[in-house]
Amino acid sequence: MRSAKQWWSRVATARASALATPNTATRAVHQGAIKVFTSDWAHEELPEGHRFPMQKYRLVREELQADASLRGKISILRAPLIERSELEVVHDADYVGRVFGGGLTAKENRAIGFPWTPKSVQRYRASAGGTLAALRALMSDEGAMVASHAAGGTHHAFRGAGEGFCVFNDIAVAAVTARSFHREEALPILVVDLDVHQGNGTADIFEGDDDVFTFSVHGANNYPWKTRRTSDLDVDVPDGTTDDEYLEALRPSLARAFDSCEPKLVIFQAGVDALSEDSFGRLALTRQGLIRRNNLVYDHCIARGCKLLICMGGGYSRPIGATVDAHADVFRVAALKYSAAVTEGRWRAREGEAS
């Protein structure tokens, strides 16, 4: 773990009014339509009565496609399948091989929460592949500020094991790939994990890594229990936390995370299982509260000129409609806010550059 002294030495040199005076002037911005990669084409049929709402991925895509306000502001793209070599920048080769070949033990599959089938492997690969494709789209275009994947966010996956519906850690794969191929444009990287469950796998993978700062706000009494790890900044919130209480905890800690890291790239795990309707969440946030949460993240990124990669995370309401709406809001709000930011000239180009 990095020391508090090391974190706050960065704060001492930060601009005092980073949010009041946007500093995004290192590039000419032409964001255009936000790329939203989708992987629901790699559908996996689960046993009847399974707790995971697989249909949400298709429903989110359909809701975004049907929203007239998003025409010209988002571009829906098919997620590719990730390759083994691309996973092995983070994951143990033996583990990847056993996932691909059906070699996981019954205990390992129980920890993940899904039965193994060839179709499940295809879905795991698309889930990680969509996030990696969004990262590449974002980093290969200097003027792009945000790209996304309407799936992924599988933050419970460790280097050599999966759990909690997570097999491959797409967040970690994206971060390590960004460091390898886009070091100057990406580092340091801030992971903002606002799923109701702590991002234990991501925290473990980047423990002691000065290039990646992990920040997680999650339910104090929720999963994971036995495998919880320590992020660079963890914020526990109690059962029953409401919109105002959650935002009161998020505002100063989010600012602290940005000040500590001063990121060039932010990866936002935008789980919506903090909804009051969620089957697993134990919190009491409303759809509007989550929209306010999303806006806080986007406002920081816009004000500070960070590139932003969004992935979806958890959401388990029954019926599933509340979760689908909240997931769709993540991408809808980003598209509308970033479109307005470009239109209003909230990014300022470097002197002598076109804006």
Side-chain angles (χ1 to χ4, degrees), residues 35-42 77-87 91 100 120-138 147-154 167-174 177 309-311:
K35 291 180 170 66
V36 182
F37 287 85
T38 59
S39 51
D40 62 282
W41 65 268
L77 301 166
R78 177 184 168 111
L81 296 177
I82 199 167
E83 299 297 332
R84 287 183 59 162
S85 60
E86 294 169 330
L87 290 166
H91 291 287
F100 274 50
S120 69
V121 177
Q122 179 175 253
R123 188 180 70 81
Y124 304 155
R125 292 179 65 192
S127 181
T131 301
L132 185 57
L135 180 279
R136 286 174 170 155
L138 177 64
S148 63
H149 180 206
T154 45
V167 180
F168 299 128
N169 194 311
D170 60 312
I171 296 168
V173 169
T177 301
L309 174 64
I310 305 169
C311 50

Side-chain angles (χ1 to χ4, degrees), residues 33-270:
I34 292 177
K35 291 180 170 66
V36 182
F37 287 85
T38 59
S39 51
D40 62 282
W41 65 268
H43 184 71
E44 173 187 1
E45 292 292 340
L46 295 176
E48 186 175 353
H50 196 283
R51 298 180 300 168
F52 191 87
M54 196 67 68
Q55 73 274 26
K56 73 177 184 175
Y57 299 113
R58 171 181 57 82
L59 295 171
V60 168
R61 172 180 55 78
E62 291 175 347
E63 182 167 330
L64 293 173
Q65 288 174 323
D67 188 339
S69 72
L70 298 179
R71 289 174 188 164
K73 296 181 175 66
I74 64 170
S75 176
I76 304 290
L77 301 166
R78 177 184 168 111
L81 296 177
I82 199 167
E83 299 297 332
R84 287 183 59 162
S85 60
E86 294 169 330
L87 290 166
E88 289 171 5
V89 301
V90 167
H91 291 287
D92 296 343
D94 174 72
Y95 172 66
V96 175
R98 290 190 298 115
V99 172
F100 274 50
L104 296 179
T105 66
K107 182 179 180 180
E108 287 174 311
N109 281 317
R110 283 195 301 272
I112 289 169
F114 296 125
W116 185 93
T117 68
K119 282 194 172 181
S120 69
V121 177
Q122 179 175 253
R123 188 180 70 81
Y124 304 155
R125 292 179 65 192
S127 181
T131 301
L132 185 57
L135 180 279
R136 286 174 170 155
L138 177 64
M139 301 308 299
S140 64
D141 183 348
E142 186 181 11
M145 297 303 294
V146 57
S148 63
H149 180 206
T154 45
H155 58 168
H156 298 312
F158 293 81
R159 290 187 183 274
E163 65 175 48
F165 303 143
C166 300
V167 180
F168 299 128
N169 194 311
D170 60 312
I171 296 168
V173 169
V176 171
T177 301
R179 173 165 58 191
S180 296
F181 293 97
H182 305 281
R183 189 175 188 89
E184 292 301 317
E185 300 85 6
L187 299 186
I189 298 168
L190 171 62
V191 177
V192 175
D193 189 331
L194 301 187
D195 195 277
V196 81
H197 304 107
Q198 194 230 20
N200 57 336
T202 311
D204 184 78
I205 289 167
F206 292 113
E207 182 178 6
D209 189 326
D210 290 338
D211 291 331
V212 181
F213 188 101
T214 55
F215 167 54
S216 179
V217 181
H218 47 262
N221 301 313
N222 213 320
Y223 178 92
W225 298 286
K226 294 181 180 179
T227 60
R228 188 166 292 205
R229 298 293 190 267
T230 302
S231 308
D232 290 318
L233 179 57
D234 282 310
V235 177
D236 296 339
V237 295
D239 291 357
T241 294
T242 63
D243 289 349
D244 288 343
E245 292 166 339
Y246 183 91
L247 294 167
E248 184 178 347
L250 175 61
R251 283 191 189 94
S253 57
L254 184 64
R256 178 180 171 186
F258 271 87
D259 286 342
S260 298
C261 180
E262 293 191 306
K264 291 182 181 177
L265 171 65
V266 173
I267 304 177
F268 179 25
Q269 204 278 18

Side-chain angles (χ1 to χ4, degrees), residues 15 17-18 21-26 302-306 346-348:
R15 291 172 298 277
S17 57
T21 306
N23 178 35
T24 60
T26 59
I302 290 170
R304 297 171 186 246
C306 312
R346 291 175 63 189
W347 280 289
R348 299 179 303 161

